[in-house]
Each structure stands twice: as structure tokens, then as C-alpha cells.
């Protein structure tokens, strides 16, 4: 088991490693990384800017920087994919994670109460949190095809993961509209999935439209699927949507944004510590990033990451 982050944070000293989303080359978020670097330097901090052509190259650059330099904080500029990169780089470390939310979904930032699309406010909060030491949050840990990774928000394996898979195959449109269009397209052909679920040593067959394992509350840019989930309770929320007709699904869907869907008879939420999900032809996503095909084993690592929030 990866140990939790150390009690003595290093964020009050050392360099700020600023990792910028390699896809942030358009729109209002294009200069967020440059603005963040300027603000940290104006506050007297040493900053090294990390950029690469793709996520794999950026992850390698982040790992090299954390190994070779005395880094007080890793600050990621972007959305949930960048948070995912940061969590996997830092889980079990005493280096703190800062987030400048400038992505499409920003679901982890939303849960942490961070200012969205406001670089100046996000940088002020990071600097203040560095002085205070930040706070520890849990991380989900998932094993798929023999590989272990971590997530801060939600792991999905079902309809919403299929929507991500479809949306990621498109180059256009950008932003939330791509996810929404992919959802409508997927809804036309999606069928129920027959899962085998093992949760805290109990195993059962579960027909469902989707199953998620949540460390946070949100997916898809603000859909509050597990309103009571906490990143600081040492537990995961197992979220199940049982089979519904398309019309009934569309009737329930708008309620998800306000977290008003939990009383529906097709919705089931259970607190667990570990889960195994098995099903044929299903791919899991976590924090919006592709993890791999089922089966997956998921558990929670309490206090795994120190965040500047």
C-alpha cells in the first residue's frame, strides 16, 4: 500500500513546478499557464514551467523534475486530466498539488471549492495554502491489466465511460458540447451491462446502465452523481444506475446536476472501501482519463495527496 503523504509538507520551500495542459492552445485558457507563472514569480517564488507535446511526454517531464529538483509544489494548469496527472505523480509524496482550473470539466476543482477559470484567484489561493500547508485528501487506487494508477474524483465503467470513449475519438466540437453530443449519440445504441460486482468481500450480479466508484461528487462538468461523497472520509461511493428505458433515463438526467436523482428507485449508492468490477467489453475511465478494460480493482488510500486548497 502506498503510504499517505507526510505530516510535514514541503510546500513552504523549494521550486514551484508548473505543468501546463498540452492541449491548452485555444480559447480563453490558452494563456492561463503563462499568467500563473508570472503571478508566482511576482510573489517571489522560483518557478520551472513544464510543457510537452502530449500527456505522456509531460508526465515523464514531471517525474524527472520531481526527482532532480527540490520541488515544494506541483501546480497543474488545466482540467481533470491534468489533476489526474498530478495525483499520479504525487500520491504518497509530501509534495503538495496545486490546481489552476482551466479545463472543460473541472470536476475535482469544483469539489475542492477552487475558483474556476480565474487564474489570479486560483494563484492567490495556492500561495496562501502553501503558507498554511494545504490539506490531505483521499485518492482512489485502481488496478487494471496489472497497472496501478490513482484518481481524485470518479471512476466510471458504463454509459458515461462509453460517452467519454466516443467523445475522445472526435476532434470536433471542443468543450462541453462534444461530451453532450456524444452522450446523445451513445444513448441511441447503448444497452444494459451485466456486471459482476465484489464490494467489501460480497459478490453479486448487477444489471445496470452504469456503475461508478466515486471519491468525489462530480463527473461530466458538474453532474453531481454522489452528492454525499467526501474526499476525506476514507471511503468510496459505489454508484449504480439500474436499467431504464431511454425516456426514463432522459427524465432523470437533468436532476443529476443538482444531485436530486438519489431518491429514484433505479439509483443505488453504497459506501465501500474496495470494489472489483467485471463485465465484458466495458472500458473504465477515471477523472475523464482512460484506465483500461474491466475487470478493475479499486480501493481507497486515505490522505494520499496533499492539495493546496
Amino acid at each position: 500500500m502506498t503510504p499517505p503523504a507526510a505530516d510535514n509538507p514541503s510546500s513552504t520551500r523549494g521550486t514551484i513546478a508548473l505543468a501546463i495542459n498540452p492541449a491548452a492552445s485555444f480559447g480563453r485558457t490558452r494563456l492561463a499557464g503563462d499568467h500563473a507563472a508570472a503571478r508566482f514569480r511576482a510573489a517571489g517564488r522560483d518557478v520551472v514551467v513544464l510543457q510537452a507535446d502530449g500527456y505522456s511526454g509531460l508526465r515523464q517531464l514531471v517525474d524527472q523534475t520531481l526527482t532532480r529538483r527540490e520541488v515544494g509544489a506541483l501546480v497543474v494548469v488545466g482540467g481533470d486530466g491534468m489533476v489526474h496527472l498530478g495525483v499520479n505523480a504525487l500520491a504518497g509524496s509530501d509534495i503538495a498539488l496545486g490546481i489552476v482550473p482551466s479545463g472543460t470539466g473541472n470536476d475535482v476543482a469544483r469539489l475542492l471549492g477552487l475558483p474556476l477559470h480565474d487564474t489570479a484567484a486560483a494563484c492567490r489561493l495556492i500561495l496562501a495554502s502553501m503558507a498554511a500547508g494545504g490539506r490531505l485528501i483521499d485518492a482512489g487506487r485502481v488496478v487494471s491489466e496489472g497497472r496501478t494508477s490513482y484518481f481524485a474524483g470518479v471512476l466510471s465503467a458504463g454509459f458515461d465511460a462509453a460517452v467519454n470513449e466516443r467523445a475522445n475519438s472526435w476532434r470536433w466540437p471542443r468543450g462541453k458540447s462534444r461530451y453532450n453530443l456524444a452522450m446523445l449519440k451513445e444513448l441511441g445504441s447503448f444497452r444494459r451491462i451485466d456486471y459482476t460486482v465484489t464490494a467489501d468481500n460480497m459478490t453479486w450480479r448487477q444489471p445496470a446502465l452504469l456503475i461508478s466508484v466515486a471519491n468525489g461528487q462530480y463527473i461530466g462538468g458538474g453532474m453531481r452523481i454522489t452528492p454525499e461523497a467526501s474526499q476525506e472520509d476514507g471511503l468510496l461511493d459505489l454508484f449504480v444506475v439500474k436499467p431504464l428505458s431511454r425516456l426514463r433515463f432522459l427524465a432523470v438526467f437533468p436532476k443529476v446536476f443538482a444531485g436530486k436523482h438519489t431518491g429514484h428507485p433505479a439509483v443505488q449508492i453504497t459506501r465501500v472501501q474496495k470494489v472489483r468490477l467485471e463485465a465484458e467489453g466495458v472500458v473504465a475511465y477515471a477523472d475523464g482519463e482512460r484506465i483500461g478494460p474491466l475487470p478493475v480493482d479499486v480501493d481507497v488510500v486515505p490522505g494520499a495527496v496533499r492539495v493546496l486548497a
Side-chain angles (χ1 to χ4, degrees):
M1 176 174 176
T2 302
D7 290 334
N8 298 315
S10 65
S11 55
T12 56
R13 63 185 186 276
T15 297
I16 292 177
L18 186 70
I20 300 174
N21 180 1
S25 58
F26 60 91
R28 62 183 177 179
T29 67
R30 181 170 56 90
L31 299 177
D34 293 338
H35 291 163
R39 289 188 173 275
F40 291 137
R41 287 172 177 144
R45 305 297 306 215
D46 179 36
V47 179
V48 55
V49 175
L50 307 179
Q51 292 179 287
D53 291 335
Y55 277 95
S56 61
L58 182 59
R59 174 61 196 272
Q60 184 177 11
L61 186 57
V62 166
D63 289 343
Q64 291 172 351
T65 302
L66 296 178
T67 300
R68 297 173 182 174
R69 301 185 65 141
E70 184 181 2
V71 173
L74 171 65
V75 176
V76 296
V77 182
D80 292 315
M82 288 298 293
V83 176
H84 189 74
L85 183 152
V87 166
N88 278 278
L90 297 180
S93 166
D94 65 347
I95 299 172
L97 175 65
I99 303 167
V100 178
S102 57
T104 301
N106 299 312
D107 286 318
V108 177
R110 184 175 286 106
L111 176 64
L112 294 172
L114 304 182
L116 305 183
H117 297 293
D118 187 337
T119 300
C123 291
R124 287 195 298 270
L125 178 59
I126 287 168
L127 289 167
S129 296
M130 287 177 74
R135 75 186 220 231
L136 292 173
I137 64 168
D138 305 337
R141 177 171 51 189
V142 55
V143 178
S144 171
E145 298 184 310
R147 298 187 302 271
T148 299
S149 59
Y150 298 86
F151 62 94
V154 178
L155 178 140
S156 297
F159 175 74
D160 47 342
V163 170
N164 264 318
E165 189 92 330
R166 183 182 290 271
N168 288 346
S169 70
W170 296 347
R171 293 187 176 182
W172 185 92
R174 295 187 183 275
K176 286 186 180 180
S177 59
R178 177 165 62 180
Y179 185 91
N180 292 335
L181 287 172
M183 182 187 70
L184 292 174
K185 185 74 173 177
E186 192 65 35
L187 190 61
S189 59
F190 196 80
R191 299 291 184 269
R192 75 176 223 176
I193 299 168
D194 291 316
Y195 297 88
T196 299
V197 181
T198 302
D200 293 343
N201 299 318
M202 295 183 60
T203 301
W204 67 95
R205 299 285 293 178
Q206 179 66 68
L209 288 180
L210 66 90
I211 294 181
S212 295
V213 183
N215 185 49
Q217 297 180 7
Y218 300 96
I219 63 170
M223 288 185 279
R224 200 178 179 197
I225 61 166
T226 47
E228 302 300 321
S230 167
Q231 289 180 310
E232 298 169 291
D233 63 357
L235 295 169
L236 299 166
D237 284 32
L238 179 63
F239 175 75
V240 177
V241 178
K242 299 173 185 177
L244 288 168
S245 68
R246 291 183 183 88
L247 288 177
R248 289 183 177 178
F249 179 83
L250 289 171
V252 174
F253 179 73
K255 299 179 180 179
V256 176
F257 288 91
K260 301 296 185 182
H261 60 293
T262 57
H264 193 282
V267 174
Q268 177 181 307
I269 300 175
T270 309
R271 292 278 170 84
V272 299
Q273 289 183 311
K274 59 182 180 179
V275 181
R276 178 176 175 86
L277 300 178
E278 301 173 78
E280 292 292 330
V282 178
V283 173
Y285 273 70
D287 297 334
E289 297 297 302
R290 196 180 199 272
I291 297 298
L294 270 55
V296 295
D297 292 286
V298 188
D299 68 348
V300 61
V301 183
V305 182
R306 186 177 298 277
V307 293
L308 299 171

